[in-house]
Amino acid sequence: MLLPSTRNKLTLWLAAMLFLNMVVAWYAWPGLCVGLPDFSIFYTAGEILRAGRGYELYNDTVQEAVQRSFAPISLQKRGDFIPFNHPPFEALAFIPFARLPYLGAYFLWLAINLGLTFAILAFLRKNFLALGSIPFYLWMLAALGFFPLFYALLQGQDSVFVLFCYSMAFGAFRRGTESREGAWVGLGMCKFHLVLPFVFPLMLLRRKKFLAGFLLIAVILALLGLAAVGWRGSLGYPAYVLAGEKNQSDAWKVAVGHAANVRGIVESLFPPTERRIRLGLILIVYSMLLAGLTYAVRKAFLRSAVHPELVFALSLLAAVLLSYHTYAYDVGILFLAVLIVLEVLLSGQIFNYWSKRLLYGCIGVLFCTPLHLLLLLRYRSWELLGAVLLLFFVDLLVEFLRMQPGSDARPTPVLANPELR
């Protein structure tokens, strides 16, 4: 439970962060009106499919022409177009939006994302005991004061939907319904780079019910993508994504700098000429993180597991750290991870003194808008946030393993929380 004085301080802090976020939105308004937000890629994809040219979806010339038709000023300011590099099935969802003028479509998508945010908060509030007692207005302040989530709303990104899917999956996880959990995670495959690291340990551990739900949805989405762009477009999509990743001269990448993940951290330490060192170190760190996560997930499925929900938070952190790229809005899925950790911290569970303060410190960094703006816009050193996330992951992993009893219990699905039955 939060003390009244702590709640008041937290309210002031989150209100200040929301105010700064609104200042960012104010300055972004002129660019928003001419098509600078990332929503333009979804509008472009929807327009191409609406015109019956799905087979040309991953043609840069076609995408640029369509984007220039409704947002010529944005291309002029940016110096290039932003490619739609998401899976083909996602483009189907934006065909109705392409029937509207760009600005109207943007605000409709913004309204939908705000509705999803409200639904996420209402759902999660029922799934937490300590945090559930906090007034709903403080939940709203926390969500809108969290810069990565606010930035996703502003950019018209689909990260809010991915957070919604993970929130629903967390509810299924708490109830021990692995097939539903897998299905919800599968729905988030529109950002597969934030999903596959989450799924990998469960695949290694052969969680059949989870994998059945996940694969069912993944196959359905793949078939929808096939219907949208045909065999040629579907088979050419992986090559299109890889080609885009190799072309680091794209204007939309240069403006971002290094990513807030393991890849970004390593690439900031070694020059591009040291490609073998970069790749080798990345693979080593990936292997270590996946090994630690897989071991923790295995522990979480033991009947004697203490606070197994922390593994869900660890998996979300790993998804961000292990993804091949991580932009500011992608970090928005960690809103759920932060809530999970805070719930355990407030539950009275005994943590190591310094580990507890490190966890609070990492959460404080994530909820500090000025720091996000400095790293993202001023210094373009987004990888420093990745270093914070790495500390967050390691500290949480150590604490989770420390609080576990002996591992002699028989593996079994996670038991439902009695209060949620």
Side-chain angles (χ1 to χ4, degrees):
M1 297 293 292
L2 288 177
L3 296 174
S5 58
T6 304
R7 182 182 299 178
N8 292 336
K9 292 176 183 177
L10 188 59
T11 300
L12 289 174
W13 175 260
L14 293 175
M17 295 304 101
L18 174 57
F19 173 77
L20 291 176
N21 290 344
M22 294 302 295
V23 171
V24 172
W26 174 264
Y27 279 100
W29 175 259
L32 183 154
C33 294
V34 298
L36 277 178
D38 290 351
F39 176 72
S40 59
I41 70 171
F42 302 120
Y43 191 82
T44 297
E47 180 61 35
I48 292 174
L49 262 62
R50 190 175 74 91
R53 303 171 65 186
Y55 59 94
E56 294 183 301
L57 179 60
Y58 297 113
N59 185 315
D60 282 346
T61 303
V62 174
Q63 287 196 36
E64 182 177 1
V66 171
Q67 210 165 113
R68 192 178 297 278
S69 69
F70 66 84
I73 298 177
S74 69
L75 269 71
Q76 182 181 354
K77 288 187 174 184
R78 197 185 297 113
D80 199 359
F81 79 108
I82 307 179
F84 176 80
N85 55 5
H86 291 231
F89 63 81
E90 189 176 6
L92 290 169
F94 292 93
I95 294 177
F97 292 87
R99 298 181 182 277
L100 301 173
Y102 171 79
L103 206 55
Y106 170 83
F107 282 113
L108 176 60
W109 181 239
L110 176 62
I112 291 173
N113 272 337
L114 285 171
L116 283 174
T117 302
F118 184 89
I120 290 168
L121 300 181
F123 176 79
L124 291 178
R125 190 164 179 255
K126 296 178 181 179
N127 280 267
F128 292 115
L129 183 61
L131 293 178
S133 63
I134 296 176
F136 190 73
Y137 76 85
L138 197 54
W139 281 73
M140 287 297 295
L141 279 177
L144 298 179
F146 186 49
F147 179 77
L149 186 53
F150 185 89
Y151 192 60
L153 291 167
L154 190 63
Q155 286 288 335
Q157 268 286 340
D158 54 358
S159 305
V160 179
F161 175 73
V162 178
L163 176 60
F164 174 80
C165 292
Y166 269 130
S167 298
M168 297 299 109
F170 176 68
F173 173 83
R174 292 290 297 271
R175 291 169 173 82
T177 53
E178 289 188 64
S179 57
R180 290 187 181 181
E181 180 191 357
W184 279 113
V185 172
L187 274 178
M189 280 291 283
C190 54
K191 280 191 175 291
F192 57 87
H193 61 286
L194 295 176
V195 169
L196 295 181
F198 185 100
V199 174
F200 188 76
L202 295 164
M203 181 182 67
L204 289 180
L205 295 173
R206 300 179 182 179
R207 304 304 302 186
K208 295 181 180 179
K209 291 183 179 180
F210 175 93
L211 293 174
F214 173 79
L215 291 175
L216 174 63
I217 298 300
V219 169
I220 291 174
L221 293 178
L223 291 175
L224 288 174
L226 177 62
V229 301
W231 282 106
R232 184 177 179 182
S234 296
L235 295 176
Y237 172 66
Y240 181 82
V241 173
L242 290 174
E245 282 300 307
K246 291 179 180 178
N247 185 10
Q248 294 300 317
S249 62
D250 289 342
W252 58 283
K253 291 182 182 177
V254 174
V256 173
H258 294 297
N261 56 16
V262 170
R263 177 185 169 189
I265 296 171
V266 173
E267 290 182 349
S268 69
L269 296 175
F270 298 94
T273 54
E274 303 291 348
R275 293 183 60 184
R276 291 186 178 181
I277 296 178
R278 279 184 169 188
L279 180 60
L281 190 54
I282 288 172
L283 290 177
I284 290 173
V285 178
Y286 274 22
S287 300
M288 293 173 65
L289 292 182
L290 283 173
L293 177 62
T294 303
Y295 182 69
V297 172
R298 181 179 178 276
K299 286 281 188 179
F301 282 107
L302 298 176
R303 182 173 295 153
S304 58
V306 177
H307 290 300
E309 66 272 21
L310 287 178
V311 163
F312 203 98
L314 280 168
S315 298
L316 291 174
L317 283 163
V320 173
L321 285 168
L322 300 175
S323 63
Y324 65 86
H325 68 232
T326 302
Y327 299 124
Y329 41 76
D330 293 327
V331 181
I333 66 171
L334 296 186
F335 181 75
L336 173 57
V338 168
L339 292 179
I340 295 171
V341 174
L342 284 175
E343 174 71 13
V344 177
L345 286 170
L346 295 174
S347 68
Q349 175 67 40
I350 299 176
F351 281 78
N352 176 273
Y353 178 85
W354 291 110
S355 292
K356 185 176 183 178
R357 273 144 187 78
L358 181 57
L359 290 175
Y360 276 125
C362 292
I363 292 172
V365 168
L366 285 172
F367 276 85
C368 185
T369 295
L371 188 59
H372 283 288
L373 296 176
L374 285 173
L375 294 179
L376 185 65
L377 303 178
R378 178 66 177 86
Y379 297 109
R380 295 180 183 176
S381 298
W382 196 235
E383 71 276 4
L384 294 179
L385 183 68
V388 173
L389 297 181
L390 187 57
L391 281 174
F392 196 175
F393 176 88
V394 172
D395 187 25
L396 186 59
L397 176 63
V398 170
E399 281 301 299
F400 171 75
L401 295 177
R402 186 192 62 80
M403 67 177 66
Q404 301 309 307
S407 58
D408 55 345
R410 181 172 57 88
T412 186
V414 175
L415 295 178
N417 186 330
E419 297 182 6
L420 300 177
R421 289 176 178 171

